[in-house]
Amino acid sequence: MKNAHMKDAVALSDFLSLLQEQIHEGKVQWDELKVVHTLDEYRQQQDLNRGPSFSTIAAFGPNGALIHYKPSLETNRIIDNSSFLIIDSGGQYLDGTTDVTRTFHFGLATQRQKEIYTRVLMGAIDLAALVFSDSIADSHVDIIARQNLYQVELDYHHETGHGIGSFLNVHEMNINSKEPHRFRANYFFSDEPSYYLPNEYGIRLETILRVVDVKMTVHSARIAVH
């Protein structure tokens, strides 16, 4: 799984470097569907890649406010520097499965947008850095990713994360406040706090975490780490 994620990170970083450079130059026009096709091509260059792990989501501006949006010929938007772009994508590799979301603004975001993005990022970091007892269910850590949004009366209306297989299903059991599951060592799951402003934009940051054992003086515990 770690090897698969390293290769996937290379493909994604190379693609994002191209995308950012060309949008800033303004000489090449990008739209959501072009992002989907080009990113898929970059992943195919990686060793043991067997295609996307799900249909790539590229959502610009108001389309990003739709949680389960998928671009089509009818909804396809031109990407410029006026709003946020969400890219939610992943790859299937013989040595693992990936799922990653990043949100970009290629222009000047407002102070309000910067604050919300920062609070989403804080939630992602807080969950990734969490040390907790092995008696704690995943339903009890959901609040960790949401707390910084709650402080300013914001929230997102989907699960904080989900399990992910290794060359298996990219979406396994959900991590939310309603269905408790116990963490186990080497369990991989997504950490994806978000925010969506209807008809305006969306912000989502998703990273896959790995659960590892740590020793404590009182009792055993686990920590979720990248």
Side-chain angles (χ1 to χ4, degrees):
M1 280 288 279
K2 291 169 68 175
N3 287 338
H5 279 78
M6 290 176 64
K7 291 181 291 186
D8 201 70
V10 169
L12 184 59
S13 297
D14 285 348
F15 165 75
L16 293 175
S17 176
L18 172 70
L19 177 65
Q20 178 173 292
E21 178 180 343
Q22 293 191 346
I23 288 182
H24 284 167
E25 289 177 347
K27 298 179 181 179
V28 178
Q29 186 177 83
W30 281 85
D31 58 38
E32 295 170 340
L33 288 176
K34 184 175 181 178
V35 167
V36 171
H37 299 320
T38 307
L39 180 52
D40 287 349
E41 291 174 355
Y42 270 77
R43 280 197 168 95
Q44 291 169 8
Q45 298 172 16
Q46 296 299 315
D47 187 38
L48 302 182
N49 179 267
R50 293 298 182 268
S53 54
F54 59 97
S55 298
T56 297
I57 297 172
F60 182 74
N63 289 343
L66 304 174
I67 297 174
H68 300 296
Y69 172 78
K70 293 182 181 179
S72 66
L73 290 175
E74 292 74 23
T75 63
N76 190 30
R77 282 182 175 270
I78 300 297
I79 297 166
D80 56 31
N81 62 2
S82 65
S83 189
F84 284 110
L85 169 67
I86 292 178
I87 302 179
D88 185 347
S89 64
Q92 285 284 19
Y93 301 83
L94 292 181
D95 48 0
T97 300
T98 70
D99 182 2
V100 56
T101 306
R102 293 293 183 264
T103 301
F104 309 92
H105 198 306
F106 299 109
L108 297 175
T110 66
Q111 286 301 120
R112 177 64 169 171
Q113 290 172 336
K114 291 177 182 179
E115 178 189 358
I116 296 174
Y117 183 98
T118 300
R119 289 182 178 277
V120 170
L121 176 60
M122 290 167 65
I125 294 172
D126 287 345
L127 181 55
L130 184 64
V131 180
F132 54 94
S133 167
D134 59 6
S135 64
I136 298 297
D138 57 0
S139 58
H140 296 154
V141 304
D142 177 82
I143 182 64
I144 302 298
R146 299 177 190 266
Q147 61 180 341
N148 296 289
L149 290 169
Y150 281 175
Q151 290 170 2
V152 290
E153 300 180 355
L154 300 178
D155 194 10
Y156 49 94
H157 301 293
H158 59 70
E159 294 82 4
T160 290
H162 57 82
I164 181 170
S166 181
F167 198 53
L168 290 168
N169 292 333
V170 67
H171 293 116
E172 296 188 338
M173 65 184 189
N174 292 325
I175 296 174
N176 56 47
S177 60
K178 299 178 181 178
E179 302 176 24
H181 307 94
R182 292 292 178 83
F183 287 102
R184 296 291 183 265
N186 292 316
Y187 173 50
F188 290 84
F189 68 98
S190 69
D191 170 9
E192 48 185 305
S194 314
Y195 175 72
Y196 308 93
L197 182 61
N199 303 314
E200 293 287 339
Y201 60 82
I203 298 171
R204 184 163 68 246
L205 300 174
E206 176 186 16
T207 302
I208 302 303
L209 306 181
R210 174 191 173 206
V211 179
V212 299
D213 283 325
V214 294
K215 292 184 178 180
M216 301 181 68
T217 56
V218 179
H219 51 72
S220 61
R222 293 194 167 88
I223 178 173
V225 297
H226 293 280

